[in-house]
Amino acid sequence: MKLSTFLGDRPFWRTTVRIALPVIIQNLLTSSFALIDTLMVSRLGDAALSSVGMAGQWVFVMNMCIIGLTGGMSMFASQYFGIGDYKGIRRAYGITLLSGLLLMLAFFLPAALQPRGIIGIFNQEAQILEIGSRYMRIACWSYPATMLSLIMSSLLRSIEKVQLPMYTSAVTTVLNVVFNYGLIFGRLGMPKLGVEGAALATCISAWAGPVILFTLSLLEKNLIATDLKGLFAFRWRNVVKYYKKTLPVLVNSGTWAIGTMIVNTVFSNMGSEYYAAVTILRTFGDLCFACYLGFGNAAIVLVGQDVGAGRIARAKESAIRYTTLVLLASLIEGVLLAIFRRQLISVFNTSGELSAVTHATAMAIILFYGLEQPLRNIPYIHIDGVFRSGGDTVTGAIFDAICLWLVSLPVAFLAARVWKLPFVTVFILAYLCEDILKGILCFWHFLSWKWLRPVTEEGKRGLAEYNAGKGK
């Protein structure tokens, strides 16, 4: 078998770089957004860092639910784009916007009305409750903007308009740096507001995102700026078809996010110093994950277009290549993260604000996280990239539910509450119990090729012809 079968040829790389590189850059910028928040808030001490991290878990669940919607939309958009069905893309976009609005309100209203109650889910320390609720009460006004940006960016990537989200993220990241610096510490002529300043900076930079995306889309006259008549020109049967494929993705993302939040609740209730270490890890973990998001989006576009157009052999070939690339990237990135973890943590501790417990815990869990990268990222590219682009939105949801809810979460709870194990041990068990089993299940399903389930008539005919040619 040729090496190009696994690593790709020139046309594959030309398309992948064109799609993946702007997405990687965009997600690096988006992750830098969170990194800047975390870095500047860390100057306020462990309690502030931990509080903002806990508030971030609420918006994390919201984001994952919306990403579930966009995952379903991207599957339709990429397959429709492969056959030039722009009306179908507009219908999927309109349904996603209305669904995203309802989802966002389900998170915005509790955060605006009862922020103390939400922070209390994670930790009952008085200082944490007070700081976290002050932050969330303001930061929740960024939720509508975040929802719009996620949906718009996802649609643009699905139709190969990958540069607009990248440019927008560059602008919003710069705005976030400027307003964080000014509003947290009282610089650049702005008031000194502490954690409230960080929340306000998040709102300002977040709202800049959809404004810029829509303005540029109007100038470019792409599908984002479509007229309302075309956007909402869908019938009940279109909604049923949309949710038949999208609902499993939404349930998958939502239940996984809620399960992850519960695991983080176990972590946070073991002590705010430990959770400050987890917040540091998540910040660097998100930066590392930008690479895999790029490959995942490229897989959605490339594999999805081929499946939608009935080019099944090409779709399978691309799926193999993206699996190989993610494996190699995980090995390299994981080793680098483990080697340079001390230097990375020192960025958060330039003035000695972090406690010795937080520093030591961060050292241990970043080492483990780096070495575990391949186990965690192969299931990601399969579930969120390959399976969904092929039209299979159900199997990944089942795998996530089994591995997180039936294995990882019970083990983490028992290890922390019953067995009273050290924090680092609890953290390692929670991750390994989810990722080992999920990796095995995903590889098994990937090699079965049963994830090839086109939603277009062209794709269905192509799959039937391909199977007939293989004697299936």
Side-chain angles (χ1 to χ4, degrees), residues 97-114:
L97 281 174
L98 290 177
S99 303
L101 176 62
L102 294 175
L103 264 178
M104 180 276 299
L105 288 173
F107 288 87
F108 169 80
L109 292 175
L113 300 175
Q114 286 294 331

Side-chain angles (χ1 to χ4, degrees), residues 2 31 34 43-44 63 141 366 453:
K2 295 181 180 179
S31 299
R43 302 293 181 89
L44 304 176
N63 287 348
W141 292 96
I366 291 177
R453 302 176 187 178

Side-chain angles (χ1 to χ4, degrees), residues 127-146:
Q127 188 179 19
I128 299 295
L129 289 171
E130 194 269 332
I131 295 174
S133 60
R134 279 163 40 205
Y135 176 87
M136 180 173 277
R137 188 174 286 112
I138 298 172
C140 68
W141 292 96
S142 69
Y143 294 2
T146 300

